[in-house]
mmCIF file of all heavy atoms in Angstrom:
data_model
loop_
_atom_site.group_PDB
_atom_site.id
_atom_site.type_symbol
_atom_site.label_atom_id
_atom_site.label_comp_id
_atom_site.label_asym_id
_atom_site.label_seq_id
_atom_site.Cartn_x
_atom_site.Cartn_y
_atom_site.Cartn_z
ATOM 1 N N PRO A 173 145.238 101.357 142.787
ATOM 2 C CA PRO A 173 146.144 102.492 143.231
ATOM 3 C C PRO A 173 146.519 103.321 141.996
ATOM 4 O O PRO A 173 146.835 102.593 140.881
ATOM 5 C CB PRO A 173 147.303 101.671 143.802
ATOM 6 C CG PRO A 173 146.709 100.362 144.109
ATOM 7 C CD PRO A 173 145.634 100.068 143.112
ATOM 8 N N GLY A 174 146.634 104.547 142.080
ATOM 9 C CA GLY A 174 147.040 105.337 141.056
ATOM 10 C C GLY A 174 146.022 105.869 140.097
ATOM 11 O O GLY A 174 146.191 106.713 139.180
ATOM 12 N N PHE A 175 144.796 105.328 140.256
ATOM 13 C CA PHE A 175 143.636 105.730 139.315
ATOM 14 C C PHE A 175 143.190 107.274 139.709
ATOM 15 O O PHE A 175 142.938 107.402 140.847
ATOM 16 C CB PHE A 175 142.444 104.848 139.458
ATOM 17 C CG PHE A 175 141.177 105.167 138.711
ATOM 18 C CD1 PHE A 175 141.149 104.809 137.337
ATOM 19 C CD2 PHE A 175 140.224 105.773 139.250
ATOM 20 C CE1 PHE A 175 140.038 105.266 136.520
ATOM 21 C CE2 PHE A 175 139.069 106.299 138.515
ATOM 22 C CZ PHE A 175 139.032 106.029 137.176
ATOM 23 N N LEU A 176 143.057 108.127 138.761
ATOM 24 C CA LEU A 176 142.654 109.349 139.000
ATOM 25 C C LEU A 176 141.304 109.784 138.487
ATOM 26 O O LEU A 176 140.687 110.810 138.975
ATOM 27 C CB LEU A 176 143.540 110.433 138.338
ATOM 28 C CG LEU A 176 145.178 110.247 138.920
ATOM 29 C CD1 LEU A 176 146.057 111.200 137.993
ATOM 30 C CD2 LEU A 176 145.180 110.495 140.324
ATOM 31 N N GLY A 177 140.692 109.060 137.419
ATOM 32 C CA GLY A 177 139.391 109.308 136.994
ATOM 33 C C GLY A 177 139.286 108.853 135.512
ATOM 34 O O GLY A 177 140.259 108.274 134.918
ATOM 35 N N VAL A 178 138.096 108.942 134.987
ATOM 36 C CA VAL A 178 137.803 108.418 133.760
ATOM 37 C C VAL A 178 136.693 109.219 132.981
ATOM 38 O O VAL A 178 135.911 109.834 133.777
ATOM 39 C CB VAL A 178 137.308 106.970 133.746
ATOM 40 C CG1 VAL A 178 135.970 106.866 134.486
ATOM 41 C CG2 VAL A 178 137.273 106.290 132.445
ATOM 42 N N GLU A 179 136.812 109.364 131.701
ATOM 43 C CA GLU A 179 135.759 109.912 130.943
ATOM 44 C C GLU A 179 135.415 109.002 129.742
ATOM 45 O O GLU A 179 136.418 108.496 129.093
ATOM 46 C CB GLU A 179 136.238 111.355 130.313
ATOM 47 C CG GLU A 179 136.508 112.314 131.504
ATOM 48 C CD GLU A 179 137.344 113.484 131.043
ATOM 49 O OE1 GLU A 179 138.035 113.431 130.048
ATOM 50 O OE2 GLU A 179 137.377 114.464 131.930
ATOM 51 N N SER A 180 134.177 108.888 129.315
ATOM 52 C CA SER A 180 133.816 107.939 128.306
ATOM 53 C C SER A 180 132.759 108.523 127.474
ATOM 54 O O SER A 180 131.795 109.126 127.955
ATOM 55 C CB SER A 180 133.548 106.648 128.790
ATOM 56 O OG SER A 180 133.373 105.546 127.858
ATOM 57 N N ALA A 181 132.792 108.189 126.080
ATOM 58 C CA ALA A 181 131.658 108.539 125.158
ATOM 59 C C ALA A 181 131.569 107.505 124.067
ATOM 60 O O ALA A 181 132.704 106.979 123.718
ATOM 61 C CB ALA A 181 131.874 109.872 124.584
ATOM 62 N N ARG A 182 130.458 107.195 123.561
ATOM 63 C CA ARG A 182 130.332 106.146 122.532
ATOM 64 C C ARG A 182 129.200 106.721 121.572
ATOM 65 O O ARG A 182 128.128 106.990 121.893
ATOM 66 C CB ARG A 182 130.006 104.807 123.078
ATOM 67 C CG ARG A 182 129.635 103.850 121.888
ATOM 68 C CD ARG A 182 129.763 102.435 122.313
ATOM 69 N NE ARG A 182 131.184 101.979 122.851
ATOM 70 C CZ ARG A 182 132.118 101.657 121.899
ATOM 71 N NH1 ARG A 182 131.961 101.876 120.605
ATOM 72 N NH2 ARG A 182 133.245 101.284 122.393
ATOM 73 N N GLU A 183 129.673 106.631 120.370
ATOM 74 C CA GLU A 183 128.744 106.903 119.151
ATOM 75 C C GLU A 183 129.255 105.771 118.261
ATOM 76 O O GLU A 183 129.373 104.604 118.668
ATOM 77 C CB GLU A 183 128.952 108.164 118.456
ATOM 78 C CG GLU A 183 128.418 109.398 119.348
ATOM 79 C CD GLU A 183 126.853 109.409 119.424
ATOM 80 O OE1 GLU A 183 126.200 108.922 118.475
ATOM 81 O OE2 GLU A 183 126.299 109.886 120.424
ATOM 82 N N ALA A 184 129.539 106.081 116.920
ATOM 83 C CA ALA A 184 130.072 104.974 116.037
ATOM 84 C C ALA A 184 131.468 104.630 116.598
ATOM 85 O O ALA A 184 131.855 103.398 116.420
ATOM 86 C CB ALA A 184 130.227 105.580 114.661
ATOM 87 N N ILE A 185 132.273 105.474 117.091
ATOM 88 C CA ILE A 185 133.526 105.159 117.770
ATOM 89 C C ILE A 185 133.419 105.426 119.209
ATOM 90 O O ILE A 185 132.807 106.564 119.594
ATOM 91 C CB ILE A 185 134.689 106.029 117.161
ATOM 92 C CG1 ILE A 185 134.776 105.759 115.715
ATOM 93 C CG2 ILE A 185 135.962 105.895 117.905
ATOM 94 C CD1 ILE A 185 135.787 106.622 114.889
ATOM 95 N N GLY A 186 133.938 104.607 119.981
ATOM 96 C CA GLY A 186 133.845 104.793 121.470
ATOM 97 C C GLY A 186 135.175 105.301 121.933
ATOM 98 O O GLY A 186 136.315 104.876 121.415
ATOM 99 N N ILE A 187 135.285 106.244 122.776
ATOM 100 C CA ILE A 187 136.534 106.755 123.406
ATOM 101 C C ILE A 187 136.477 106.795 124.930
ATOM 102 O O ILE A 187 135.506 107.448 125.371
ATOM 103 C CB ILE A 187 136.909 108.159 122.781
ATOM 104 C CG1 ILE A 187 137.010 108.051 121.225
ATOM 105 C CG2 ILE A 187 138.217 108.649 123.472
ATOM 106 C CD1 ILE A 187 137.292 109.477 120.643
ATOM 107 N N THR A 188 137.327 106.059 125.553
ATOM 108 C CA THR A 188 137.340 106.178 126.984
ATOM 109 C C THR A 188 138.815 106.624 127.348
ATOM 110 O O THR A 188 139.825 106.078 126.849
ATOM 111 C CB THR A 188 137.159 104.769 127.569
ATOM 112 O OG1 THR A 188 135.772 104.320 127.287
ATOM 113 C CG2 THR A 188 137.259 104.863 129.169
ATOM 114 N N VAL A 189 138.891 107.589 128.171
ATOM 115 C CA VAL A 189 140.089 108.242 128.624
ATOM 116 C C VAL A 189 140.228 107.940 130.039
ATOM 117 O O VAL A 189 139.358 108.472 130.842
ATOM 118 C CB VAL A 189 140.297 109.693 128.276
ATOM 119 C CG1 VAL A 189 141.778 110.087 128.765
ATOM 120 C CG2 VAL A 189 140.107 109.919 126.797
#
Side-chain angles (χ1 to χ4, degrees):
F175 177 82
L176 302 174
V178 65
E179 298 164 344
S180 188
R182 176 162 292 284
E183 291 288 332
I185 295 173
I187 299 176
T188 298
V189 182

